[in-house]
Structures are given as C-alpha cells and as structure tokens.
C-alpha cells in the first residue's frame, strides 16, 4: 500500500511510505523553524504539489495538511491531489485561526494566502472546499466561528473552487444559524 504525505516536513505522517516536500533544505516556512524529519522507513521526494511525480491513482492514500493555504493556485493543487490518489485527507487552518493569526501577526501565518472553508456542494451533493483570498488583518469584518481546522477526507472526488468575499461571508453566516 502506497501512502504519501504531501508537505510532511518536520512532522510527517508516521505511516507514510513517501514524504513529499517542495523545500526540504529551507526551514523558514515550517512551524517553529524545525528541520525536516523522516522516519527511517520513509523516502523523501522533492516536488511541488502542483506537479506530483506519481501516476494517476497510483497512491492508495494521500495526506496533505497545512499546505494548500500556501499555494498560489490551491484549486489546481486539489486537482493534482485527486489525480494521483485514490483517497486522502486534507486539512487547513480554519477561518477563526486565520483571523486570530492575522490580528496578532503570529509568526509563520503571514505567508498564508488563502482561507479555506468546507461545505456540501448543492449541485453534486459532494464535499467541496472553497478558497477565499486572505485579507489583511484590518480587512476582516467579522470573527468567523468554526472548528480549529478545515478538514476534508475523500474516497472518490470533491470539488474545489474560489469564492468571493461576499460568498465567503454568506457561507459562514449560514453555518452559524441554528438548525431548523
């Protein structure tokens, strides 16, 4: 079984056979500036999430945490993850943490380009991940309420798209409403 951790860096998934990292020699973007760390059974592959060196659906399970918020094109990255993997797990910081980090200028968060939000796509009835261009600290109009991470697991397909500020605010307000 082939298990790949994309962006594992200094905390790779222990059960991964392969860890993919775009900058294995540079620790500036890593949490606490720690060096890349691998378990003795893991192989390191230097690659960009937009161009993974795996055949279509050759990866049994793909783990990708705290990578997409850094990508120039996270929708294309999601398509590439789905191309190579049969199933997987994606996690990004939740909007509430992005807001908090923007207000205190937490080290390491200033290079996040996107805020991520998960919802059920009404058309396809599948999970969808939406990306909203992250505003500057004074650009937030509200404190979003959500869990600590935006998490998406998949075994077939999911959709990924960009949304406007207005759509993002509408989605978060709807998520805060009491169930009817």
């Amino acid at each position: 079984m082939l298990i790949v951790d994309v962006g594992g860096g200094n905390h790779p998934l222990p059960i991964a056979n392969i860890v993919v990292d775009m900058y294995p020699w540079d620790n500036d973007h890593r949490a606490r500036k720690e060096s890349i760390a691998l378990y003795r059974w893991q192989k390191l592959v230097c690659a960009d999430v937009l161009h993974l060196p795996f055949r279509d659906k050759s990866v049994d399970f793909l783990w990708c945490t705290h990578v997409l918020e850094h990508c120039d094109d996270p929708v294309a990255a999601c398509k590439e993850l789905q191309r190579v993997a049969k199933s997987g797990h994606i996690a990004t910081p939740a909007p509430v943490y992005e807001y908090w980090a923007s207000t205190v200028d937490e080290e390491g968060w200033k290079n996040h380009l996107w805020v991520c939000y998960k919802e059920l796509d009404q058309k396809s009835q599948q999970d969808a991940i939406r990306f909203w261009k992250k505003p500057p600290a004074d650009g937030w109009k509200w404190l979003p309420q959500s869990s600590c991470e935006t998490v998406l697991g998949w075994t077939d397909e999911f959709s990924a798209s960009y949304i406007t500020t207005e759509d993002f605010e509408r989605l978060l307000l709807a998520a805060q409403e009491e169930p009817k």
Side-chain angles (χ1 to χ4, degrees):
M1 177 175 247
L2 181 57
I3 301 171
V4 174
D5 183 343
V6 175
N10 54 339
H11 295 289
L13 181 67
I15 61 170
N17 313 92
I18 296 174
V19 176
V20 175
D21 198 280
M22 188 169 168
Y23 304 108
W25 58 86
D26 179 7
N27 298 321
D28 286 343
H29 63 288
R30 297 188 208 292
R32 297 174 299 284
K33 309 287 189 247
E34 294 174 355
S35 296
I36 197 163
L38 299 176
Y39 294 95
R40 70 181 187 287
W41 56 87
Q42 293 177 325
K43 293 182 180 167
L44 176 65
V45 173
C46 184
D48 183 342
V49 68
L50 295 172
H51 307 285
L52 295 171
F54 303 104
R55 292 184 322 276
D56 293 0
K57 303 296 183 200
S58 63
V59 175
D60 295 299
F61 185 79
L62 187 140
W63 180 267
C64 181
T65 64
H66 299 269
V67 171
L68 298 177
E69 65 273 17
H70 300 275
C71 293
D72 289 330
D73 190 349
V75 169
C78 286
K79 289 177 183 174
E80 181 68 354
L81 297 174
Q82 290 183 85
R83 181 189 69 77
V84 303
K86 297 172 190 168
S87 64
H89 169 93
I90 292 172
T92 65
V96 68
Y97 282 100
E98 289 289 357
Y99 167 80
W100 173 80
S102 293
T103 61
V104 298
D105 194 27
E106 184 72 13
E107 184 63 36
W109 290 66
K110 57 188 168 218
N111 58 2
H112 290 187
L113 305 174
W114 301 96
V115 176
C116 307
Y117 185 88
K118 184 178 94 169
E119 69 171 346
L120 180 68
D121 185 82
Q122 296 303 314
K123 186 177 175 183
S124 68
Q125 291 298 301
Q126 294 179 323
D127 282 335
I129 189 164
R130 310 293 188 213
F131 297 95
W132 172 51
K133 192 72 171 168
K134 186 176 174 182
D138 60 358
W140 294 81
K141 297 178 185 171
W142 35 261
L143 175 62
Q145 301 296 315
S146 64
S147 62
C148 63
E149 288 187 312
T150 298
V151 176
L152 175 83
W154 86 90
T155 55
D156 187 17
E157 291 185 2
F158 65 91
S159 84
S161 63
Y162 299 107
I163 60 173
T164 65
T165 298
E166 295 78 24
D167 286 341
F168 188 74
E169 290 176 353
R170 178 187 51 77
L171 289 169
L172 286 178
L173 289 173
Q176 294 175 28
E177 290 179 4
E178 292 292 322
K180 294 179 182 178

